[in-house]
Short mmCIF file of all heavy atoms in Angstrom, two decimals:
data_model
loop_
_atom_site.label_atom_id
_atom_site.label_comp_id
_atom_site.label_asym_id
_atom_site.label_seq_id
_atom_site.Cartn_x
_atom_site.Cartn_y
_atom_site.Cartn_z
N LYS A 104 54.70 39.48 -14.93
CA LYS A 104 54.69 38.86 -16.27
C LYS A 104 55.31 39.79 -17.30
O LYS A 104 56.08 39.36 -18.17
CB LYS A 104 53.25 38.53 -16.68
CG LYS A 104 52.62 37.39 -15.93
CD LYS A 104 51.20 37.20 -16.43
CE LYS A 104 50.42 36.21 -15.60
NZ LYS A 104 49.00 36.16 -16.01
N ALA A 105 54.95 41.09 -17.23
CA ALA A 105 55.47 42.07 -18.19
C ALA A 105 56.98 42.17 -18.07
O ALA A 105 57.70 42.28 -19.08
CB ALA A 105 54.82 43.43 -17.95
N LEU A 106 57.50 42.15 -16.84
CA LEU A 106 58.94 42.23 -16.63
C LEU A 106 59.65 41.02 -17.22
O LEU A 106 60.67 41.15 -17.90
CB LEU A 106 59.24 42.35 -15.14
CG LEU A 106 60.71 42.48 -14.77
CD1 LEU A 106 61.33 43.72 -15.40
CD2 LEU A 106 60.87 42.52 -13.25
N GLN A 107 59.08 39.85 -16.97
CA GLN A 107 59.68 38.62 -17.50
C GLN A 107 59.72 38.66 -19.03
O GLN A 107 60.73 38.35 -19.66
CB GLN A 107 58.86 37.42 -17.01
CG GLN A 107 59.44 36.09 -17.39
CD GLN A 107 58.60 34.92 -16.85
OE1 GLN A 107 57.66 35.13 -16.10
NE2 GLN A 107 58.97 33.73 -17.24
N THR A 108 58.59 39.09 -19.63
CA THR A 108 58.51 39.13 -21.10
C THR A 108 59.45 40.19 -21.66
O THR A 108 60.12 39.97 -22.68
CB THR A 108 57.05 39.43 -21.55
OG1 THR A 108 56.18 38.53 -20.90
CG2 THR A 108 56.89 39.29 -23.04
N THR A 109 59.54 41.35 -21.02
CA THR A 109 60.42 42.43 -21.49
C THR A 109 61.88 42.00 -21.39
O THR A 109 62.68 42.26 -22.31
CB THR A 109 60.18 43.72 -20.68
OG1 THR A 109 58.80 44.05 -20.74
CG2 THR A 109 60.98 44.88 -21.24
N ASN A 110 62.24 41.34 -20.29
CA ASN A 110 63.62 40.86 -20.15
C ASN A 110 63.95 39.84 -21.24
O ASN A 110 65.06 39.84 -21.79
CB ASN A 110 63.84 40.26 -18.77
CG ASN A 110 64.00 41.32 -17.70
OD1 ASN A 110 64.37 42.45 -18.00
ND2 ASN A 110 63.69 40.98 -16.47
N GLU A 111 63.00 38.96 -21.55
CA GLU A 111 63.23 37.99 -22.62
C GLU A 111 63.34 38.69 -23.97
O GLU A 111 64.16 38.32 -24.81
CB GLU A 111 62.11 36.94 -22.64
CG GLU A 111 62.47 35.75 -23.50
CD GLU A 111 61.43 34.63 -23.48
OE1 GLU A 111 60.56 34.64 -22.59
OE2 GLU A 111 61.51 33.77 -24.36
N ALA A 112 62.53 39.73 -24.17
CA ALA A 112 62.61 40.50 -25.42
C ALA A 112 63.98 41.18 -25.53
O ALA A 112 64.54 41.30 -26.63
CB ALA A 112 61.50 41.54 -25.47
N LEU A 113 64.51 41.62 -24.39
CA LEU A 113 65.87 42.20 -24.40
C LEU A 113 66.92 41.16 -24.79
O LEU A 113 67.84 41.45 -25.57
CB LEU A 113 66.19 42.75 -23.02
CG LEU A 113 65.83 44.20 -22.76
CD1 LEU A 113 65.93 44.52 -21.27
CD2 LEU A 113 66.72 45.14 -23.55
N ARG A 114 66.78 39.95 -24.23
CA ARG A 114 67.75 38.89 -24.53
C ARG A 114 67.68 38.45 -25.99
O ARG A 114 68.69 38.04 -26.56
CB ARG A 114 67.49 37.68 -23.62
CG ARG A 114 67.99 37.85 -22.20
CD ARG A 114 68.01 36.55 -21.43
NE ARG A 114 66.71 35.93 -21.31
CZ ARG A 114 65.80 36.23 -20.39
NH1 ARG A 114 66.07 37.16 -19.49
NH2 ARG A 114 64.64 35.62 -20.35
N THR A 115 66.50 38.50 -26.58
CA THR A 115 66.35 38.03 -27.96
C THR A 115 66.43 39.19 -28.95
O THR A 115 66.10 39.03 -30.12
CB THR A 115 64.98 37.33 -28.15
OG1 THR A 115 63.94 38.26 -27.86
CG2 THR A 115 64.86 36.11 -27.28
N HIS A 116 66.86 40.39 -28.47
CA HIS A 116 66.86 41.56 -29.35
C HIS A 116 67.79 41.35 -30.55
O HIS A 116 68.97 41.00 -30.40
CB HIS A 116 67.30 42.81 -28.58
CG HIS A 116 67.15 44.06 -29.40
ND1 HIS A 116 68.12 44.50 -30.25
CD2 HIS A 116 66.11 44.93 -29.52
CE1 HIS A 116 67.71 45.60 -30.86
NE2 HIS A 116 66.48 45.87 -30.42
N THR A 117 67.23 41.52 -31.71
CA THR A 117 67.98 41.50 -32.96
C THR A 117 67.15 42.26 -33.97
O THR A 117 66.05 42.71 -33.66
CB THR A 117 68.26 40.05 -33.43
OG1 THR A 117 69.16 40.10 -34.53
CG2 THR A 117 66.99 39.33 -33.83
N SER A 118 67.66 42.43 -35.16
CA SER A 118 66.89 43.17 -36.18
C SER A 118 67.13 42.58 -37.55
O SER A 118 68.13 41.87 -37.79
CB SER A 118 67.32 44.65 -36.17
OG SER A 118 68.65 44.77 -36.61
N LYS A 142 65.51 33.96 -33.77
CA LYS A 142 65.51 34.90 -32.65
C LYS A 142 64.65 36.12 -32.97
O LYS A 142 63.90 36.62 -32.11
CB LYS A 142 66.95 35.32 -32.35
CG LYS A 142 67.14 35.93 -30.99
CD LYS A 142 68.59 35.86 -30.53
CE LYS A 142 69.37 37.04 -31.06
NZ LYS A 142 70.68 37.21 -30.43
N LEU A 143 64.75 36.61 -34.21
CA LEU A 143 63.95 37.78 -34.62
C LEU A 143 62.46 37.46 -34.56
O LEU A 143 61.66 38.28 -34.07
CB LEU A 143 64.34 38.22 -36.04
CG LEU A 143 63.55 39.40 -36.61
CD1 LEU A 143 63.79 40.65 -35.78
CD2 LEU A 143 63.91 39.64 -38.07
N ARG A 145 60.99 35.22 -32.65
CA ARG A 145 60.61 35.15 -31.23
C ARG A 145 60.55 36.55 -30.63
O ARG A 145 59.64 36.85 -29.84
CB ARG A 145 61.66 34.27 -30.49
CG ARG A 145 61.44 34.18 -29.00
CD ARG A 145 60.19 33.39 -28.66
NE ARG A 145 59.97 33.38 -27.23
CZ ARG A 145 58.78 33.41 -26.67
NH1 ARG A 145 57.70 33.45 -27.42
NH2 ARG A 145 58.65 33.39 -25.36
N HIS A 146 61.49 37.40 -31.03
CA HIS A 146 61.52 38.77 -30.52
C HIS A 146 60.24 39.52 -30.90
O HIS A 146 59.66 40.24 -30.07
CB HIS A 146 62.76 39.48 -31.10
CG HIS A 146 62.93 40.88 -30.62
ND1 HIS A 146 63.23 41.18 -29.31
CD2 HIS A 146 62.83 42.08 -31.27
CE1 HIS A 146 63.33 42.49 -29.18
NE2 HIS A 146 63.09 43.05 -30.35
N GLN A 147 59.78 39.34 -32.13
CA GLN A 147 58.54 40.01 -32.58
C GLN A 147 57.33 39.53 -31.78
O GLN A 147 56.47 40.32 -31.38
CB GLN A 147 58.30 39.75 -34.09
CG GLN A 147 59.33 40.38 -35.01
CD GLN A 147 59.32 41.89 -34.93
OE1 GLN A 147 58.28 42.51 -34.74
NE2 GLN A 147 60.49 42.50 -35.04
N VAL A 148 57.28 38.22 -31.50
CA VAL A 148 56.18 37.67 -30.69
C VAL A 148 56.22 38.26 -29.28
O VAL A 148 55.19 38.67 -28.72
CB VAL A 148 56.28 36.11 -30.63
CG1 VAL A 148 55.32 35.55 -29.58
CG2 VAL A 148 55.97 35.52 -32.00
N LEU A 149 57.41 38.35 -28.72
CA LEU A 149 57.57 38.89 -27.36
C LEU A 149 57.17 40.37 -27.31
O LEU A 149 56.55 40.82 -26.33
CB LEU A 149 59.01 38.72 -26.88
CG LEU A 149 59.43 37.28 -26.57
CD1 LEU A 149 60.93 37.19 -26.38
CD2 LEU A 149 58.70 36.75 -25.33
N LEU A 150 57.51 41.12 -28.34
CA LEU A 150 57.12 42.54 -28.37
C LEU A 150 55.60 42.69 -28.35
O LEU A 150 55.06 43.57 -27.68
CB LEU A 150 57.70 43.23 -29.60
CG LEU A 150 59.21 43.46 -29.59
CD1 LEU A 150 59.67 44.07 -30.90
CD2 LEU A 150 59.62 44.35 -28.42
N LYS A 151 54.91 41.83 -29.09
CA LYS A 151 53.44 41.86 -29.07
C LYS A 151 52.91 41.52 -27.67
O LYS A 151 51.94 42.12 -27.19
CB LYS A 151 52.87 40.88 -30.10
CG LYS A 151 52.90 41.38 -31.52
CD LYS A 151 52.12 40.43 -32.39
CE LYS A 151 52.13 40.65 -33.86
NZ LYS A 151 52.67 41.69 -34.54
N GLU A 152 53.55 40.56 -27.02
CA GLU A 152 53.14 40.19 -25.66
C GLU A 152 53.36 41.36 -24.69
O GLU A 152 52.52 41.63 -23.82
CB GLU A 152 53.91 38.96 -25.18
CG GLU A 152 53.43 37.66 -25.82
CD GLU A 152 54.21 36.45 -25.31
OE1 GLU A 152 54.79 36.52 -24.21
OE2 GLU A 152 54.22 35.43 -26.03
N VAL A 153 54.51 42.04 -24.84
CA VAL A 153 54.79 43.20 -23.98
C VAL A 153 53.70 44.25 -24.17
O VAL A 153 53.19 44.83 -23.19
CB VAL A 153 56.18 43.79 -24.28
CG1 VAL A 153 56.37 45.13 -23.56
CG2 VAL A 153 57.29 42.83 -23.86
N GLN A 154 53.34 44.51 -25.43
CA GLN A 154 52.26 45.48 -25.71
C GLN A 154 50.97 45.06 -25.01
O GLN A 154 50.26 45.89 -24.43
CB GLN A 154 52.02 45.57 -27.22
CG GLN A 154 53.02 46.42 -27.96
CD GLN A 154 52.70 46.43 -29.44
OE1 GLN A 154 53.09 45.52 -30.17
NE2 GLN A 154 52.01 47.45 -29.89
N HIS A 156 50.67 43.21 -22.32
CA HIS A 156 50.82 43.43 -20.87
C HIS A 156 50.61 44.90 -20.52
O HIS A 156 49.93 45.23 -19.54
CB HIS A 156 52.21 43.00 -20.40
CG HIS A 156 52.43 41.52 -20.39
ND1 HIS A 156 51.56 40.63 -19.80
CD2 HIS A 156 53.42 40.75 -20.92
CE1 HIS A 156 52.02 39.39 -19.93
NE2 HIS A 156 53.14 39.44 -20.63
N ILE A 171 58.97 54.06 -26.48
CA ILE A 171 58.82 53.25 -27.70
C ILE A 171 57.62 53.76 -28.48
O ILE A 171 56.49 53.79 -27.98
CB ILE A 171 58.65 51.75 -27.35
CG1 ILE A 171 59.88 51.27 -26.59
CG2 ILE A 171 58.43 50.93 -28.61
CD1 ILE A 171 59.75 49.90 -25.97
N TRP A 174 56.69 49.69 -32.42
CA TRP A 174 56.89 48.38 -31.79
C TRP A 174 57.42 47.33 -32.77
O TRP A 174 57.72 46.21 -32.38
CB TRP A 174 55.57 47.88 -31.18
CG TRP A 174 55.27 48.57 -29.88
CD1 TRP A 174 54.49 49.65 -29.69
CD2 TRP A 174 55.77 48.22 -28.59
NE1 TRP A 174 54.47 50.02 -28.38
CE2 TRP A 174 55.25 49.15 -27.66
CE3 TRP A 174 56.63 47.22 -28.12
CZ2 TRP A 174 55.54 49.11 -26.31
CZ3 TRP A 174 56.90 47.17 -26.77
CH2 TRP A 174 56.38 48.11 -25.88
N PRO A 177 61.84 48.30 -31.86
CA PRO A 177 62.30 49.26 -30.85
C PRO A 177 63.79 49.10 -30.56
O PRO A 177 64.34 48.01 -30.71
CB PRO A 177 61.46 48.91 -29.62
CG PRO A 177 61.09 47.49 -29.81
CD PRO A 177 60.98 47.26 -31.28
N LEU A 178 64.41 50.19 -30.15
CA LEU A 178 65.83 50.14 -29.80
C LEU A 178 66.02 49.33 -28.51
O LEU A 178 65.15 49.33 -27.63
CB LEU A 178 66.37 51.55 -29.59
CG LEU A 178 66.35 52.48 -30.81
CD1 LEU A 178 66.79 53.87 -30.41
CD2 LEU A 178 67.26 51.93 -31.92
N LYS A 179 67.18 48.69 -28.42
CA LYS A 179 67.48 47.90 -27.23
C LYS A 179 67.51 48.81 -25.98
O LYS A 179 67.07 48.42 -24.90
CB LYS A 179 68.81 47.17 -27.41
CG LYS A 179 69.07 46.14 -26.34
CD LYS A 179 70.24 45.24 -26.72
CE LYS A 179 70.34 44.10 -25.73
NZ LYS A 179 71.37 43.13 -26.12
N LEU A 182 64.02 49.44 -24.82
CA LEU A 182 63.50 48.24 -24.13
C LEU A 182 64.10 48.13 -22.72
O LEU A 182 63.41 47.77 -21.77
CB LEU A 182 63.84 46.98 -24.93
CG LEU A 182 62.87 46.59 -26.05
CD1 LEU A 182 63.42 45.40 -26.81
CD2 LEU A 182 61.49 46.28 -25.50
N GLY A 183 65.39 48.47 -22.60
CA GLY A 183 66.04 48.44 -21.29
C GLY A 183 65.42 49.46 -20.34
O GLY A 183 65.18 49.15 -19.16
N LEU A 185 62.35 50.56 -20.52
CA LEU A 185 61.03 50.04 -20.21
C LEU A 185 61.13 49.00 -19.10
O LEU A 185 60.34 49.00 -18.14
CB LEU A 185 60.37 49.43 -21.46
CG LEU A 185 59.04 48.71 -21.24
CD1 LEU A 185 57.98 49.65 -20.71
CD2 LEU A 185 58.56 48.06 -22.54
N ALA A 186 62.12 48.12 -19.19
CA ALA A 186 62.31 47.08 -18.16
C ALA A 186 62.57 47.73 -16.80
O ALA A 186 62.03 47.30 -15.77
CB ALA A 186 63.45 46.15 -18.56
#
Side-chain angles (χ1 to χ4, degrees):
K104 289 179 188 174
L106 181 60
Q107 185 179 354
T108 308
T109 305
N110 283 336
E111 193 176 345
L113 270 168
R114 283 193 300 276
T115 61
H116 187 273
T117 189
S118 67
K142 198 159 86 167
L143 178 63
R145 177 69 183 145
H146 182 67
Q147 293 297 326
V148 169
L149 290 168
L150 289 176
K151 281 189 186 353
E152 286 181 22
V153 170
Q154 281 179 277
H156 289 310
I171 300 170
W174 283 95
L178 297 174
K179 191 168 189 174
L182 275 175
L185 174 62

